[in-house]
Structure formats: C-alpha cells, structure tokens
Amino acid sequence: MAAPNLIALARKVSDETARQGYPCEKRNLMRAKTAVVLGAQWGDEGKGKIVDVLSERFTAVARYAGGHNAGHTVIIGGQKFVLQLIPCGVLRPGCRGIIGNGVVLDPIAFLKEVAKLRGLGVAVDDQLFVSNRAQVILPYHRMIELAAESAPGRQKIGTTSRGIGPAYEDKMARSGLRIVDLLRPDLLKTHIEEACAEKNAIVKALFGAGTAPLDPAKMFDEYAAAAEQVRPFVADTGRLLNKILAEGGSVMFEGAQGTMLDIDHGTYPFVTSSSATAGGAATGTGVGPTAIGTVISVTKAYVTRVGEGPFPTEIHEEVGEHLRARGNEYGAVTGRPRRCGWLDIPLLRYSNQVNGAEWLVVTKLDVLDELEEIPICVGYEIGGKVTDEIPADVQGLERIKPVYTTLKGWRTSTEGITDFDKLPQEAQEYLRFQERESGAKIGMVSTGPDRDQTMVLPEFATALDSMKR
C-alpha cells in the first residue's frame, strides 16, 4: 500500500489537473490557437517556407510524422536553411520546436542537424524538445531497407534508404526502441545485441551474404554516447504542448511528406510509413483532435513527385524539364530530380477532403510565368468513363487518362508580388479556378523562395491574427 503522504500528493496533483480542466469555452479558445500545415500532393510543396512564414504567430511548431527523409528548405534574407528533422519554428526567436512521438528519430542525424544550426547561430538549445516516446532509428534499420530496395525481383518503392520504414515496422511490431529507452544504457545494450543478432540473420537469409553484418558493441558505444547528447532535449512533449494550449499559447502542427504519400490515403504501396495527413497531428503529438482548429493545405501551382509510383498528370515533354529547371525541382534531402506534372484538381479535391482543409496555400506560382497556356486536369477517363474519383489501386491509377482544360498563361513575371490585385489578370484567374474547384479557400500565395516573397490574402490574415502568440 502506498504511503499516506504519497497518496495525499497524488490527490493534490489530481485536484489541480481537474481545476485546470478543459471546459467547452477553453476548448474553443484552444482550437482558435492551433493549425495543421501539411502537403496536399506528394510532398515537396514548399511547406518549409510556409511554416516559417506563419511561425512568428505561434508559441510552438510541432512535427508529428516521418523522419530525416523529409527535407524543408527555408530561405531568410538570402541565407538557406535545410531542415530534415527539426521543425522550422526554431528559426524564429521565442518559438519552440517540438519533435513529436509520431516521428522516428535517428540520433546521429539529429545531432548533426543541431550542430549545423548552432553553427548558423540558431538558438536550438533553448527552444528545441524531443518526445520521450518517439521511436529511434538504428543502423540495422538502414541495412534492412537498403537490402530490400536493391534485392533482385523486389518492387522498388523509391525510398531514401534512411531506415524510416523498418523503424516504423518495428514500432508496430512492438519491438522498437523509444527515446526514453535510448537513455538507459543497460536497456540500450541488451536491445542492440538482440536486434543485431536478429537483423543480421534476416538480411543474410532473405538477401544473401553480400551485406556486411553489424557490430553490436561498436553500435552500442556510438549510440550510448549520442544518447547523452540527446538527453537535454528530451521531454514529455505531449504534456508540454497541452500545457502551452491551456495557458493560452498557440501551436502549429507541421506535416512531413504529403497527403498522397500517407500510409492509409496515399498511392499505396508507393507511400511513406506514417500518417502524413491531418489525422496524424493528434496521434503524433498527444494533443487531442478536439483541440485542433484549422487545416492549411500547401499545394504547388503544378505537381511534382520524387521516386516511384503513379503520377497521372506527369509531363514527359520538354516543358517538364522547363518546370524542373525554373522550380529547382531537386530533393532537399537526396538531390533527386523531381518528376513534374500539371495541376491535378481531382487529386487536390481528394486531398482537401481527407484532411478537412479549410485553407489553401499555393506555392511556386512564378514558375509558370513563361508559359503561354497552362493545362489543368479536371477529371479522369478510366476505361472509357469520365470520373473525378481517385482509384484506390495502383492499376486503376495507372489506367487514368487525364481530362484537361486549358487556361491562358500570363507571360510576365509574378516573382516577389505580395498584393493579389497586382498579379496579372490571367494569374488571378488561374488561382481562383484552383480555389473554386478544390473546395478550400486560398489564404496565401508564394511568388518566390524567400520569406518575404509571400502574399497573405485579407481573410486569411484576419484568421491568423487570432492565433498570435
């Protein structure tokens, strides 16, 4: 039986929590102070810049899914920041960056990114937190993924081979290592020894003897040392986020990858291993869904995709190379060239439906400046029938013949324009068409890579004012 003084202390803590509570009026206030920002397509929509632009209004920015396979590029006054794990909010003084429990974290990659940001003068030590419940990526996860991707006869997904998928597999198999476990040397040592024996045997049996076995002793020494450097950042981030909201602060939930890469709703199996949609914000941070207010969906003015998988509106002609060159369409993490295609309205409408998106942010409008005509996909022809429904299977997606309408291009520069009314009339019509057909209101338009090359429409500006920290 617990000692009487401990019982009294527990009751006191319970009473204080109950008094704080979340009555309806407080929940309404919390909802007004939260937003999810995510990608509407296959990732690379420019979320990094948008999160950075918006983050000045928020107390914290919380990353809720993915790992260091997701890159966000932010340009501030000409200086380039490439973030892979760390939320963009840390680039704003006073804004906390939080890596949630839904993220898989490679401690070595994390520490390298921290060191790089320190070198650039970013105060990561004062404002960065890592969930004690986040899963850990270890070298055997990379070994398994590399072996699977390169195995003869295996269907290639086009992963970054950074161990993300295998780490999520271990999480769901309940055999993974969490950050809280990483900080216990005895448990870490046992886990690495057992996991290496198992994973070395699996790779040898399934993929042959060509892969060198991993050394558990060497791995333990490296990761035990890394754990001590990670330790100062570790916190119960779910509790921290809920406390911020309860005290009137504001939180932005930062998505990774894009909706069409979501494990449930994307173009399966050519997807990532986590919940990239808005639903992942609750499960990946420990903040309840009733506390989340609005969803801001980021889309390019066209579409890109990296890696394998169906892409109905992909452009195979010279104009695709033109968009790639003007848009600098190369992966921030891998440097891989992105496949380019025309804007896909059925896909965007599906994405907005899945996420419950209220607002739309359109990026890279200026990339289209030189085009005389701009096709937009408004429907799909599948087996002789026209539909706007997204097929669930890869075979259905691959049978799609896009149905296009064509809008007139503007043939003049829009770069750096920050007033909607100063855009060429044709550019305004292009954006209004996108808004009308997608089911979400356009709140922002990006007309260049820099933080300042962004227009905020009046209605969205009013909505953002209520979120200010």
Side-chain angles (χ1 to χ4, degrees):
M1 184 173 177
N5 60 331
L6 292 181
I7 293 173
L9 178 60
R11 284 174 177 162
K12 180 182 178 183
V13 170
S14 178
D15 290 345
E16 288 175 354
T17 302
R19 280 197 298 274
Q20 288 174 359
Y22 295 146
C24 289
E25 60 270 20
K26 179 166 279 192
R27 287 193 182 279
N28 289 336
L29 176 62
M30 288 165 66
R31 279 196 292 270
K33 292 276 193 175
T34 57
V36 180
V37 179
L38 48 75
Q41 300 159 337
W42 282 285
D44 308 309
E45 298 92 351
K47 297 182 295 298
K49 172 189 169 175
I50 302 309
V51 171
D52 171 64
V53 169
L54 296 175
S55 60
E56 66 174 338
R57 297 168 169 84
F58 290 86
T59 311
V61 176
R63 168 87 176 270
Y64 62 83
H68 63 305
N69 58 337
H72 287 167
T73 301
V74 178
I75 299 176
I76 305 170
Q79 186 174 13
K80 186 176 181 180
F81 299 84
V82 178
L83 304 173
Q84 295 178 19
L85 270 168
I86 296 175
C88 300
V90 298
L91 300 178
R92 292 278 186 183
C95 182
R96 299 176 194 175
I98 293 174
I99 296 176
N101 58 275
V103 174
V104 287
L105 185 137
D106 182 325
I108 305 300
F110 171 75
L111 292 171
K112 285 180 180 176
E113 195 169 339
V114 165
K116 189 172 182 180
L117 288 173
R118 282 175 181 151
L120 293 170
V122 179
V124 286
D125 298 282
D126 300 325
Q127 58 194 79
L128 179 60
F129 301 86
V130 174
S131 171
N132 52 11
R133 292 175 169 85
Q135 292 279 321
V136 178
I137 298 175
L138 288 164
Y140 53 77
H141 292 126
R142 294 192 295 275
M143 178 181 72
I144 291 284
E145 189 166 34
L146 275 167
E149 276 287 282
S150 58
R154 292 281 294 242
Q155 183 181 51
K156 294 186 184 300
I157 303 298
T159 73
T160 58
S161 296
R162 300 198 169 195
I164 310 300
Y168 277 114
E169 287 179 30
D170 278 0
K171 175 180 180 177
M172 294 306 176
R174 294 161 293 179
S175 60
L177 187 81
R178 300 198 296 178
I179 291 292
V180 67
D181 306 318
L182 180 75
L183 303 182
R184 288 183 50 191
D186 56 336
L187 194 153
L188 176 63
K189 189 172 188 296
T190 301
H191 181 93
I192 285 177
E193 287 172 350
E194 293 177 351
C196 280
E198 177 187 314
K199 307 299 183 183
N200 283 333
I202 289 172
V203 169
K204 184 177 179 181
L206 293 181
F207 309 116
T211 304
L214 295 165
D215 180 349
K218 181 181 177 183
M219 190 187 303
F220 170 74
D221 290 342
E222 182 180 14
Y223 281 80
E228 292 309 308
Q229 296 180 65
V230 172
R231 188 184 293 274
F233 298 100
V234 178
D236 183 341
T237 54
R239 184 180 178 91
L240 174 60
L241 286 167
N242 280 286
K243 186 172 186 290
I244 288 170
L245 291 172
E247 293 175 351
S250 53
V251 174
M252 186 197 314
F253 301 92
E254 175 185 326
Q257 287 93 27
T259 298
M260 300 311 294
L261 291 175
D262 182 87
I263 186 67
D264 289 297
H265 303 288
T267 49
Y268 189 90
F270 299 95
V271 292
T272 191
S273 303
S274 58
S275 297
T277 48
T283 56
T285 62
V287 173
T290 56
I292 296 175
T294 192
V295 177
I296 302 167
S297 185
V298 184
T299 174
K300 280 178 180 163
Y302 48 102
V303 187
T304 63
R305 177 166 196 163
V306 170
E308 306 296 324
F311 187 176
T313 65
E314 184 172 8
I315 307 167
H316 298 286
E317 305 91 50
E318 186 178 335
V319 68
E321 292 293 336
H322 170 80
L323 294 180
R324 185 178 297 113
R326 274 191 61 85
N328 190 29
E329 296 295 356
Y330 298 91
V333 173
T334 64
R336 290 184 294 179
R338 297 172 186 145
R339 301 153 63 190
C340 296
W342 300 119
L343 184 65
D344 187 331
I345 291 294
L347 182 145
L348 185 57
R349 193 180 296 129
Y350 169 80
S351 172
N352 287 342
Q353 169 195 301
V354 166
N355 292 304
E358 180 180 6
W359 296 101
L360 203 60
V361 175
V362 181
T363 63
K364 296 200 172 184
L365 180 70
D366 54 301
V367 173
L368 304 179
D369 284 350
E370 296 178 2
L371 300 181
E372 188 171 347
E373 291 184 332
I374 307 171
I376 301 178
C377 174
V378 293
Y380 301 146
E381 182 186 331
I382 305 174
K385 296 181 180 179
V386 176
T387 180
D388 64 354
E389 184 175 337
I390 308 290
D393 61 318
V394 170
Q395 290 76 20
L397 287 160
E398 289 173 343
R399 290 198 306 268
I400 285 174
K401 292 181 180 179
V403 178
Y404 288 107
T405 190
T406 301
L407 298 187
K408 189 178 179 182
W410 41 94
R411 304 298 299 277
T412 187
S413 176
T414 61
E415 186 172 0
I417 294 177
T418 56
D419 186 337
F420 187 86
D421 292 333
K422 291 181 180 178
L423 287 172
Q425 188 63 37
E426 295 83 357
Q428 293 184 34
E429 290 174 4
Y430 185 83
L431 292 168
R432 289 307 183 198
F433 182 91
Q434 190 171 349
E435 177 181 64
R436 187 170 60 251
E437 295 297 323
S438 72
K441 295 174 285 187
I442 291 180
M444 293 173 64
V445 181
S446 172
T447 55
D450 203 276
R451 179 187 275 177
D452 297 327
Q453 295 175 308
T454 312
M455 69 176 68
V456 181
L457 276 67
E459 189 179 355
F460 190 53
T462 301
L464 291 175
D465 283 344
S466 66
M467 300 180 193
K468 280 187 177 176
R469 52 184 161 117

